[in-house]
Amino acid sequence: MSPSATSRLCLDEQGRDTVGEVPRVLWSPASGATDRAPLVLMGHGGGNHKKHRAMAGRARLLVNGCGFHVAVIDAPGHGDRPRTAHDEEEIAELFRARAAGEPEGPIVVRYNAHLAELAVPEWRATLDALQRLPEIGVDEPVGYWGINMGTAIGIPFVAADPRITAAVFGQHWPDVLAEKAEQITIPIEFDLQWDDEHISREDGLALFDAFSSKEKSLHINAGKHKELPRFEANSGARFFARHLGRAVTASA
C-alpha cells in the first residue's frame, strides 16, 4: 500500500501509511522514488512511537548518510494506536512496582512478550507491503534496528523472517528471548549498558551469547539504562552500511 502523502523535511518523509490498522512512517532519500535502495526497519522503545526523536535521528543517519529507506510502525498500544484494557493493566502494574522499588524486569518481560506476539505478524505484513513499492522491491537487502522493547519485538521477528540480513539489538532480558536468539545466524550488533539498574550484566551478556551468529559485536558502555551514548547510533549506521552495501558519507 503506497504512502498517501509526501512532505519535505531534512528527510523525505512519505507521510503516514497503514497496513490494516497499523500506522507507519517511511523515510526515503531525496534522490527520487525510482531509485532502488536497501531498507532498514526500526522498532521503537517502550512508551515511545514511530516518530520519536530517536527514530528520526537514526533514520536521518541511514537516509542521508547511507541512502537507505527507513520504516517504523507504532507498536501495539503505542503512538497512534489505542491502549487495550490489558495494556492499561500492565502499565499500571509497572508504575506500581516502580513506585514500590520492586524489580521491573518480570513485568516488562511479560508485557513485551505479549506485544511481540501481536507485532511480529504486523511487521511481516508491513515488510510485504513495503517490498511492493517500486523504490524498494524484493531484491534489496533488509535490516532491523531495535533497542529495549524494539529488541523484545525484533528478535522473534528476525528469527521468523529470513528476509532480514543484519540487525542491531540491545538492552533486554534473556528470559523469553534466548531461545529465539539461538535461531538467528545473521550479523548482529548488540548494545549493553554496564551499569544498567534494571538489566544485570549477567542477563545482558546471556542474551548476547545466545545468538548463533558467526559475526556478532558487543558494544558495552558505562552508564545506566537510559544513558546509551548517542555515538552508538553512528555505529549502528556504519554496521548497516557494511552489511547492506552502502558507504556512510561524512555528513552522517
Side-chain angles (χ1 to χ4, degrees):
M1 193 179 300
S2 297
S4 57
T6 301
S7 60
R8 295 283 178 176
L9 304 175
C10 55
L11 307 176
D12 277 357
E13 183 182 294
Q14 300 183 3
R16 188 183 105 171
D17 190 18
T18 60
V19 176
E21 298 299 320
V22 183
R24 75 170 183 241
V25 63
L26 173 65
W27 285 285
S28 293
S31 56
T34 60
D35 292 345
R36 287 285 181 91
L39 170 68
V40 175
L41 308 173
M42 293 199 304
H44 62 75
N48 295 333
H49 56 83
K50 63 187 179 299
K51 293 186 181 180
H52 186 268
R53 62 182 181 276
M55 299 296 96
R58 293 170 193 169
R60 184 173 294 109
L61 292 171
L62 292 167
V63 174
N64 290 350
C66 303
F68 293 166
H69 301 283
V70 177
V72 192
I73 66 173
D74 283 331
H78 290 70
D80 292 325
R81 304 182 67 177
R83 289 179 179 174
T84 65
H86 184 268
D87 295 327
E88 297 289 1
E89 290 171 4
E90 292 285 55
I91 293 167
E93 179 63 11
L94 176 61
F95 287 161
R96 185 207 60 77
R98 186 174 296 169
E102 298 174 1
E104 299 179 12
I107 302 167
V108 175
V109 167
R110 180 183 68 219
Y111 182 40
N112 283 357
H114 166 73
L115 296 179
E117 290 181 0
L118 302 174
V120 168
E122 295 172 350
W123 264 123
R124 301 195 74 178
T126 295
L127 182 52
D128 290 342
L130 290 169
Q131 288 189 322
R132 290 196 290 269
L133 296 176
E135 64 269 33
I136 295 176
V138 297
D139 296 325
E140 293 290 341
V142 182
Y144 179 87
W145 191 349
I147 308 296
N148 301 315
M149 189 181 75
T151 286
I153 293 173
I155 287 178
F157 167 50
V158 172
D161 201 312
R163 292 174 291 183
I164 310 301
T165 57
V168 175
F169 298 120
Q171 293 188 274
H172 211 279
W173 295 263
D175 302 58
V176 299
L177 295 178
E179 183 176 354
K180 295 293 185 182
E182 291 175 357
Q183 301 172 27
I184 294 175
T185 59
I186 61 173
I188 66 159
E189 186 169 287
F190 192 91
D191 295 321
L192 187 154
Q193 288 299 96
W194 201 237
D195 308 298
D196 196 313
E197 68 273 31
H198 302 302
I199 305 168
S200 71
R201 297 171 183 177
E202 292 76 16
D203 280 344
L205 291 170
L207 182 53
F208 171 75
D209 191 51
F211 290 96
S212 298
S213 308
K214 292 183 178 180
E215 180 179 338
K216 55 181 182 180
S217 299
L218 176 62
H219 288 209
I220 299 176
N221 288 282
K224 295 185 177 181
H225 186 72
K226 293 186 177 181
E227 295 176 347
L228 183 69
R230 291 187 177 182
F231 59 71
E232 288 296 350
N234 292 280
S235 178
R238 291 192 297 270
F239 170 84
F240 285 115
R242 288 197 305 275
H243 292 289
L244 305 186
R246 300 289 179 95
V248 177
T249 66
S251 62

